[in-house]
Amino acid sequence: MKSPFSKGLLDGVPIALGYLSVSFGFGILAVRSGLTTLVSVMISATNLTSAGQAAGIAIIAAGGSFFEMALTQLVINLRYGLMSISLSQKLDDTFNTPRRLLVAYGITDEIFAVASAQKGLLTARYMYGLISISTFGWCLGTFLGASAGQFLPASLTNAMGIVLYAMFIAIVIPPAKKSRGVLAVSVTAALCSLLFKYLLPQISGGFAIIFSAVIAAVIGAMVFPTAEEEAEEVKA
Amino acid sequence: MTLVIYIAVMAGMTYLIRMIPFAAFRRQIKSRFFRSFLYYVPYAVLTAMTIPAIFYSTGSVETAAVGTAVALALAYFDMPLIVVALAASAAAFAAGFILPFLR
């Protein structure tokens, strides 16, 4: 019998491999925005989130306010709150408050996806396995990306800068094909973002993302309220 | 020092968003509007973050556009995240060598 912890480790291997390359791109971006390797790895170890970290280093580089940082993280990572609500319904009886506090650290898009696909209730040990190997991949990739940025040719590191954004495209496009709501929301968000960037450049990047996202999601919720089943399947 | 505060704010906020509902929520949200809003937020955020930033991600708008086109095409055919991410990067890399010859 495999222990729940090692099953979690095993299930986490594909996540860790994916994270390795994506966080490699993050490491490159971070160093390019003026951060050291140590700081980049610290950010990855404490945040464990691609979109939030990418926005975070942009705010640091631009010298944005702490308020802007907090609000940006709130809006960008709001989806984790939804995933946490969903996963909280699936925890076994031994999941006491300290364990919840620990596991909450590791709720990401991919970990959520794997955990919610499990049959039956989730144990804390399984989640520890899943989260620890994924976090290891995330931090190792950041370290390699940040340090290799100095040794690899610029043509290669430049090309790696697109990795995170390409992953975001891969998350958005498939549901946008199936749901008019997701398509409308994405197009609206893109238009708003372009508007802020080119017509209202005085609004900083973090706020532009917040405003664009909230406007698009509110319009989506009003015009295309989701069916109950759709809202329950919160894979993002 | 400022850097440490930035990271603390970032990490603290990110953790609280995950932790509060995970530790506290026992019931489902009823409001259809709020559920729909939460459902759409990830897509809105990711798109707003990607456009137009992706075109500035490789240091050349042309190579970035090639990478973006490859990402869109592969994502359309439901390729796994990792495949889309690496192929887009490879395409941008290749475009960096090929495009100068097309001028």
Side-chain angles (χ1 to χ4, degrees):
Chain A
M1 251 329 246
K2 247 186 300 174
S3 77
F5 182 77
S6 44
K7 178 163 180 357
L9 283 181
L10 209 63
D11 287 356
V13 168
I15 301 182
L17 288 177
Y19 279 3
L20 203 62
S21 47
V22 172
S23 62
F24 193 92
F26 169 75
I28 289 172
L29 282 181
V31 167
R32 208 187 284 166
S33 3
L35 302 177
T36 64
T37 302
L38 178 69
V39 170
S40 313
V41 174
M42 266 172 59
I43 293 177
S44 279
T46 52
N47 284 267
L48 198 67
T49 168
S50 56
Q53 288 182 202
I57 57 171
I59 291 171
I60 294 175
S65 67
F66 298 131
F67 175 71
E68 181 183 357
M69 177 66 96
L71 200 60
T72 306
Q73 298 302 320
L74 175 65
V75 173
I76 291 184
N77 293 331
L78 207 56
R79 66 185 190 283
Y80 295 138
L82 193 64
M83 294 174 192
S84 295
I85 296 171
S86 168
L87 279 187
S88 72
Q89 322 277 321
K90 211 178 145 57
L91 306 180
D92 79 347
D93 291 340
T94 62
F95 238 115
N96 55 23
T97 302
R99 287 175 178 161
R100 284 178 187 238
L101 295 184
L102 212 56
V103 167
Y105 155 82
I107 298 170
T108 68
D109 300 331
E110 294 75 14
I111 289 169
F112 169 76
V114 170
S116 43
Q118 290 302 305
K119 285 189 190 117
L121 298 174
L122 294 167
T123 63
R125 279 167 203 276
Y126 175 77
M127 293 303 291
Y128 295 155
L130 198 59
I131 290 168
S132 50
I133 192 161
S134 305
T135 306
F136 177 72
W138 187 246
C139 294
L140 180 66
T142 306
F143 172 77
L144 293 176
S147 42
Q150 292 135 34
F151 306 111
L152 292 175
S155 56
L156 196 60
T157 57
N158 276 342
M160 291 294 289
I162 203 172
V163 164
L164 274 173
Y165 297 112
M167 188 185 79
F168 297 160
I169 287 181
I171 294 175
V172 172
I173 297 291
K177 274 191 333 191
K178 292 187 204 112
S179 149
R180 278 189 309 156
V182 173
L183 183 64
V185 165
S186 303
V187 170
T188 308
L191 290 178
C192 291
S193 180
L194 288 168
L195 197 81
F196 281 118
K197 169 87 181 176
Y198 298 111
L199 296 182
L200 297 165
Q202 62 272 30
I203 296 188
S204 67
F207 282 115
I209 291 170
I210 294 169
F211 292 147
S212 304
V214 170
I215 292 168
V218 165
I219 292 177
M222 288 193 305
V223 182
F224 299 99
T226 53
E228 286 303 298
E229 318 81 64
E230 207 173 13
E232 235 152 72
E233 154 198 321
V234 277
K235 280 178 201 167
Chain B
M1 191 58 215
T2 318
L3 203 52
V4 175
I5 303 177
Y6 271 128
I7 297 176
V9 170
M10 230 173 126
M13 181 55 94
T14 306
Y15 177 67
L16 287 178
I17 297 164
R18 288 167 166 154
M19 184 275 278
I20 293 173
F22 201 61
F25 253 89
R26 315 274 158 166
R27 262 183 247 162
Q28 283 235 315
I29 294 171
K30 289 278 182 341
S31 156
R32 190 164 185 225
F33 174 81
F34 192 56
R35 286 168 64 95
S36 303
F37 173 78
L38 287 177
Y39 172 74
Y40 286 129
V41 159
Y43 306 111
V45 166
L46 293 178
T47 308
M49 283 196 65
T50 303
I51 295 173
I54 193 170
F55 296 106
Y56 303 101
S57 66
T58 64
S60 144
V61 176
E62 284 117 348
T63 63
V66 172
T68 305
V70 167
L72 285 170
L74 293 178
Y76 186 82
F77 291 107
D78 295 314
M79 291 291 144
L81 301 189
I82 183 71
V83 172
V84 176
L86 292 181
S89 182
F93 180 71
F97 290 98
I98 297 166
L99 287 179
F101 291 106
L102 301 179
R103 295 227 168 87

